[in-house]
Amino acid sequence: MTARIKMAHYVGELNNFTQVPDFSHKDSGRGCGPCSLLGKQCRHFTDALRDRVSYDDILGMHEQFARSLGVSAIVDGSKFVAWMRRAVEQRAVEQRVADRASRTAVSAIITVRNPIAFAISHRNRTGEALWRGAGIWRDTYVDALRTANFHGLPQLVVRYEDYMADRERSLERLAAFLHLPLSPKPDNTSIHDTGGNWSSFVPYVGREQLEKFIQQLHGSGRTDAENFIKHARAYWNDEKPQEDTRWHNSINAGDAHGVLSTPGLADVASILGYNIAEVVHLAIKG
């Protein structure tokens, strides 16, 4: 997201880095993904830093990363709205003791994928019915919008489909939201990320390097890695992220009804800017 935005850095899911109880993936996010894949020692996401930072001071952790990376804005990709609430609550304590000039600015970037694609992906990963994924989608975005509005946070909705259709426009919007300049070319030489989605690293480390890394794993670690990426491998692209269209023409009318009959889902989708009729048209088998 930020390879072309000067003075900003996307750092992945910091809730995993700090191992928040009940909100962290215990097998990922504890180090820098791109550096690990390249066989390098990351000078930012270090063991010493991991031992020092805490989810009890999210803003302080962001400030440390900003200094280390030499940027003014940290984009934290933690997925749980509860993590954002924790950061906002910590900011409220800070505001009572800090002068206005030194207060940390917090904004919300709400990234979203259409509910049918999400529900199908959730079913592929968990085996649960589509309506279960649809409910999670609805509840997550209701919570995100409610939390951002309640706390008066500046917010920007970034839809996956819009980004894949017109990356330039999406990056222009993001750069403007962050009040930072957009560079004409990405800086892929300094990507540091604690996220767990290896597929997203392919344009930066290369498909061959990622395949080599997985082949060097042993036992259950390699099995888990292969299972994690088996659905995404066909969409790997060394040059740029490739759109995942596996949900197109993939369900019948009954499945679509199961998703759309989730109370309030269509309303939330509309608020987030989706034409739900168009989404259904793409999803149903012709």
Side-chain angles (χ1 to χ4, degrees), residues 244-258:
D244 183 352
T245 58
R246 288 171 293 176
W247 63 279
H248 289 187
N249 302 305
S250 64
I251 60 176
N252 58 38
D255 290 330
H257 175 72

Side-chain angles (χ1 to χ4, degrees), residues 159-212:
R159 290 183 294 271
Y160 166 81
E161 296 82 4
D162 293 344
Y163 175 78
M164 298 307 297
D166 190 344
R167 293 180 183 85
E168 190 70 20
R169 172 60 180 150
S170 295
L171 289 173
E172 287 174 353
R173 290 181 65 233
L174 180 57
F177 178 72
L178 295 173
H179 302 289
L180 293 171
L182 184 66
S183 300
K185 293 183 179 180
D187 178 9
N188 294 339
T189 62
S190 58
I191 302 296
H192 301 282
D193 185 346
T194 64
N197 190 347
W198 288 345
S199 298
S200 66
F201 298 149
V202 171
Y204 309 111
V205 304
R207 179 174 184 150
E208 183 178 344
Q209 181 65 33
L210 181 51
E211 295 277 17
K212 180 180 178 181

Side-chain angles (χ1 to χ4, degrees), residues 227-283:
N227 288 335
F228 184 80
I229 59 156
K230 67 180 179 181
H231 293 295
R233 184 178 261 120
Y235 290 84
W236 287 1
N237 188 326
D238 284 344
E239 297 179 359
K240 61 183 180 181
Q242 185 172 337
E243 184 176 8
D244 183 352
T245 58
R246 288 171 293 176
W247 63 279
H248 289 187
N249 302 305
S250 64
I251 60 176
N252 58 38
D255 290 330
H257 175 72
V259 173
L260 297 178
S261 62
T262 302
L265 181 140
D267 295 323
V268 177
S270 178
I271 290 171
L272 291 168
Y274 282 107
N275 180 337
I276 201 68
E278 182 179 11
V279 173
V280 171
H281 176 72
L282 289 172

Side-chain angles (χ1 to χ4, degrees), residues 10-271:
Y10 174 83
V11 292
E13 301 162 32
L14 290 181
N15 66 284
N16 289 331
F17 188 69
T18 56
Q19 289 293 286
V20 180
D22 301 322
F23 287 105
S24 296
H25 193 294
K26 293 179 172 51
D27 298 320
S28 68
R30 299 289 281 157
C32 179
C35 286
S36 297
L37 295 174
L38 294 171
K40 296 164 54 178
Q41 185 71 37
C42 184
R43 57 192 176 89
H44 304 288
F45 293 99
T46 63
D47 292 340
L49 179 61
R50 186 171 57 243
D51 293 339
R52 188 168 72 250
V53 299
S54 167
Y55 50 79
D56 289 325
D57 186 13
I58 296 173
L59 302 181
M61 175 169 53
H62 285 182
E63 290 173 1
Q64 290 193 53
F65 279 127
R67 287 195 296 271
S68 177
L69 292 161
V71 297
S72 59
I74 291 293
V75 180
D76 182 347
S78 299
K79 294 183 175 69
F80 297 103
V81 183
W83 175 264
M84 180 171 69
R85 273 196 296 273
R86 181 186 286 268
V88 173
E89 289 164 359
Q90 292 170 6
R91 185 186 66 163
V93 175
E94 174 194 83
Q95 287 180 331
R96 289 197 291 267
V97 298
D99 61 81
R100 183 174 296 276
S102 61
R103 293 175 184 173
T104 304
V106 178
S107 301
I109 300 171
I110 301 174
T111 57
V112 58
R113 194 176 187 192
N114 79 74
I116 290 182
F118 176 88
I120 292 172
S121 177
H122 181 77
R123 183 181 64 180
N124 290 342
R125 292 291 301 275
T126 67
E128 294 185 345
L130 288 175
W131 65 267
R132 293 292 298 272
I136 292 172
W137 187 94
R138 176 204 59 195
D139 293 347
T140 298
Y141 289 105
V142 166
D143 196 14
L145 292 167
R146 176 176 54 204
T147 299
N149 288 330
F150 178 80
H151 292 287
L153 301 180
Q155 58 187 280
L156 174 71
V157 173
V158 179
R159 290 183 294 271
Y160 166 81
E161 296 82 4
D162 293 344
Y163 175 78
M164 298 307 297
D166 190 344
R167 293 180 183 85
E168 190 70 20
R169 172 60 180 150
S170 295
L171 289 173
E172 287 174 353
R173 290 181 65 233
L174 180 57
F177 178 72
L178 295 173
H179 302 289
L180 293 171
L182 184 66
S183 300
K185 293 183 179 180
D187 178 9
N188 294 339
T189 62
S190 58
I191 302 296
H192 301 282
D193 185 346
T194 64
N197 190 347
W198 288 345
S199 298
S200 66
F201 298 149
V202 171
Y204 309 111
V205 304
R207 179 174 184 150
E208 183 178 344
Q209 181 65 33
L210 181 51
E211 295 277 17
K212 180 180 178 181
F213 177 85
I214 294 172
Q215 290 170 7
Q216 292 173 345
L217 298 175
H218 301 284
S220 61
R222 181 170 179 178
T223 301
D224 291 345
E226 289 288 355
N227 288 335
F228 184 80
I229 59 156
K230 67 180 179 181
H231 293 295
R233 184 178 261 120
Y235 290 84
W236 287 1
N237 188 326
D238 284 344
E239 297 179 359
K240 61 183 180 181
Q242 185 172 337
E243 184 176 8
D244 183 352
T245 58
R246 288 171 293 176
W247 63 279
H248 289 187
N249 302 305
S250 64
I251 60 176
N252 58 38
D255 290 330
H257 175 72
V259 173
L260 297 178
S261 62
T262 302
L265 181 140
D267 295 323
V268 177
S270 178
I271 290 171

